[in-house]
């Protein structure tokens, strides 16, 4: 028995993480380094183990997170890393950004000035350009105008501008219209960089590749590839294949707590949404929506039991759910079942589960809750 409560848990395979890093390196040009995106607790995989593995075993130096708390955590796991905060930090925390030697994404001149006004020490930053995502960043009609604003920011005392970056909105699409949209986003940031060079400003970093761009439109001018979802072996978009060798790290498992026979007319779970129309064997499983296994999977999801897919019947409860194991006579109390992962010849991926209830694999793995211990396998 392992040293954790055998109820619902996620197994995270670190040797697969190292393999995924090798695949991503093989996609990138020699001049492009991976910036490992480890926001949201490394997409639910656990930032401590993931960051330590990447920094100590894979030699990854660049990390990206969403906020200052995440950045400080990464700093404690990787003392020498370059850590970029992609999202917002209130300017009053500027001194902490400096103290922990974090790099802040800067979205406007106004924000740059507010940061500078709140710190006695210089702050490292990368300037974010909005080339079409419509979320955050400097927004201009021409690269020359954009470069002029960036030039102004580089003159702010206490700010050390090390790079510029942008984020693609549809790099995970093979629709021709979307491809040309991304082409324009890419061209804008490249031209902005070149305009800066004309102004005598040669920044060390220029980056625009996310996972999708790393897979489908790798460009040697991006000094960093901000790889998030492919690091964890999932698809930027389920409809497009990802390069061979990228495989998921996480499996989600739980246990059968009870098995019973039901008769026609017997009801299962809240709301009586399921009524048996024949004799069936129903098993109860020790996982529910409070573990991050969505209630939207009620009556829709499937679970692997001894390598056989068993349908969920009735509503997923907070801590438990029921499934039909009529097809698996050997299923019994105490058996381990697989909600995400491989069992025998079959596999249920987070991407597949996501498509069952209309979301993306990103949300499935990020949504596995704190109650679910992460168990690391190497
Ligand atoms: C989350 C994020 C990424 C990583 O995206 P993936 O699709 O997971 O690779 C890269 N850049 C920015 C700005 C992000 O917010």
């Amino acid at each position: 028995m392992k040293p954790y409560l055998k109820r619902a848990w996620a197994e995270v395979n670190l040797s697969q993480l190292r393999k995924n890093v090798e695949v991503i390196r093989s996609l990138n040009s020699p001049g492009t380094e991976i910036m490992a995106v480890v926001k949201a607790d490394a997409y639910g995989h656990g930032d401590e183990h993931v960051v330590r593995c990447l920094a100590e075993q894979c030699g990854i130096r660049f990390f990206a997170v969403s906020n200052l708390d995440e950045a400080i955590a990464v700093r404690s796991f990787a003392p020498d890393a370059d850590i970029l905060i992609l999202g917002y930090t209130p300017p009053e925390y500027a001194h902490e950004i400096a103290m922990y030697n974090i790099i802040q994404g800067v979205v406007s001149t106004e924000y740059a000035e507010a940061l500078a006004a709140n710190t006695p020490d210089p702050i490292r930053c990368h300037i974010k350009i909005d080339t079409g995502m419509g979320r955050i960043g400097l927004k201009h009609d021409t690269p020359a105008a954009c470069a002029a604003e960036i030039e102004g920011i580089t003159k702010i005392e206490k700010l050390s501008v090390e790079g510029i970056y942008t984020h693609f909105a549809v790099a995970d699409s093979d629709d021709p219209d979307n491809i040309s949209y991304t082409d324009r986003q890419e061209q804008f940031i490249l031209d902005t960089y070149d305009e800066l060079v004309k102004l005598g400003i040669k920044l060390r970093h220029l980056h625009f590749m996310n996972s999708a761009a790393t897979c489908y439109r790798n460009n040697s001018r991006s000094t960093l590839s901000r790889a998030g979802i492919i690091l964890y072996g999932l698809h930027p978009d389920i409809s497009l294949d990802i390069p061979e060798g990228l495989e998921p790290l996480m499996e989600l498992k739980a246990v059968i707590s009870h098995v019973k026979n039901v008769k026609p007319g017997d009801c299962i779970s809240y709301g009586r949404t399921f009524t048996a129309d024949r004799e069936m064997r129903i098993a109860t499983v020790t996982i529910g929506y409070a573990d991050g296994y969505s209630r939207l999977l009620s009556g829709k999801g499937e679970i692997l039991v001894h390598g056989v897919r068993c349908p969920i019947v009735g509503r997923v409860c907070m801590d438990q759910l029921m499934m039909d194991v009529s097809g698996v006579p050997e299923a019994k109390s105490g058996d381990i079942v697989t909600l995400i992962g491989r069992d025998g010849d079959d596999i249920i991926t987070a991407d597949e589960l996501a498509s069952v209830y209309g979301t993306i694999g990103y949300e499935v793995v990020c949504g596995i809750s704190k109650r679910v211990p992460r168990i690391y396998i190497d």
Side-chain angles (χ1 to χ4, degrees), residues 200-342:
I201 299 165
K202 199 158 184 309
L203 300 174
R204 195 149 70 87
H205 286 292
L206 156 66
H207 51 107
F208 45 85
M209 290 198 292
N210 56 3
S211 288
T214 301
C215 293
Y216 310 123
R217 45 181 307 137
N218 205 289
N219 185 315
S220 63
R221 286 200 64 191
S222 192
T223 60
L224 301 170
S225 74
R226 300 191 308 266
I229 201 73
I230 53 172
L231 213 45
Y232 311 101
L234 298 175
H235 291 63
D237 184 296
I238 185 84
S239 68
L240 293 184
D241 286 340
I242 53 177
E244 207 171 306
L246 295 172
E247 297 287 344
L249 316 183
M250 190 198 279
E251 300 204 332
L252 180 64
K253 301 196 175 164
V255 170
I256 294 178
S257 59
H258 185 79
V259 183
K260 61 177 171 281
N261 295 312
V262 300
K263 296 195 185 66
D266 286 349
C267 299
I268 304 292
S269 198
Y270 289 118
R272 298 174 59 205
T273 58
F274 182 84
T275 304
D277 60 359
R278 61 200 144 92
E279 303 231 326
M280 299 171 81
R281 283 188 88 226
I282 299 293
T284 302
V285 181
T286 55
I287 195 166
Y289 60 77
D291 300 293
Y293 194 81
S294 178
R295 188 169 173 278
L296 298 172
L297 290 159
S298 297
K300 288 188 183 158
E302 293 179 320
I303 297 171
L304 294 172
V305 183
H306 296 287
V308 178
R309 278 177 187 251
C310 296
I312 293 174
V313 290
R315 288 200 182 139
V316 173
C317 309
M318 188 183 290
D319 316 311
Q320 309 180 63
L321 59 81
M322 276 64 78
M323 63 182 171
D324 175 8
V325 292
S326 304
V328 194
E330 69 269 38
K332 61 179 188 311
S333 175
D335 285 356
I336 294 174
V337 302
T338 303
L339 299 110
I340 297 173
R342 176 175 289 285

Side-chain angles (χ1 to χ4, degrees), residues 35 37 39 43 64-66 84 86-87 128 133 135-136 165-168 207-214 225-232 235-236 362:
M35 171 175 262
V37 182
K39 61 197 183 192
Y43 289 42
V65 295
S66 81
L84 172 63
L86 299 165
K128 177 73 186 289
M133 175 69 181
R135 192 164 66 178
I136 46 173
Y165 67 110
T166 195
H167 194 44
F168 291 150
H207 51 107
F208 45 85
M209 290 198 292
N210 56 3
S211 288
T214 301
S225 74
R226 300 191 308 266
I229 201 73
I230 53 172
L231 213 45
Y232 311 101
H235 291 63
Y362 295 72

Side-chain angles (χ1 to χ4, degrees), residues 353-368:
L353 209 56
S355 62
V356 172
Y357 67 105
T359 184
I360 51 177
Y362 295 72
E363 187 175 359
V364 170
V365 287
C366 290
I368 306 297

Side-chain angles (χ1 to χ4, degrees), residues 39-87:
K39 61 197 183 192
D41 203 19
Y43 289 42
H45 292 67
D47 58 2
E48 170 159 10
H49 285 81
V50 167
V51 169
R52 285 191 197 280
C53 176
L54 292 171
E56 294 166 16
Q57 297 178 32
C58 305
I60 298 279
R61 195 177 129 204
F62 297 96
F63 292 89
V65 295
S66 81
N67 65 58
L68 183 57
D69 282 341
E70 291 179 352
I72 292 171
V74 172
R75 170 62 68 228
S76 73
F77 311 137
D80 303 323
D82 281 325
I83 305 164
L84 172 63
I85 298 178
L86 299 165

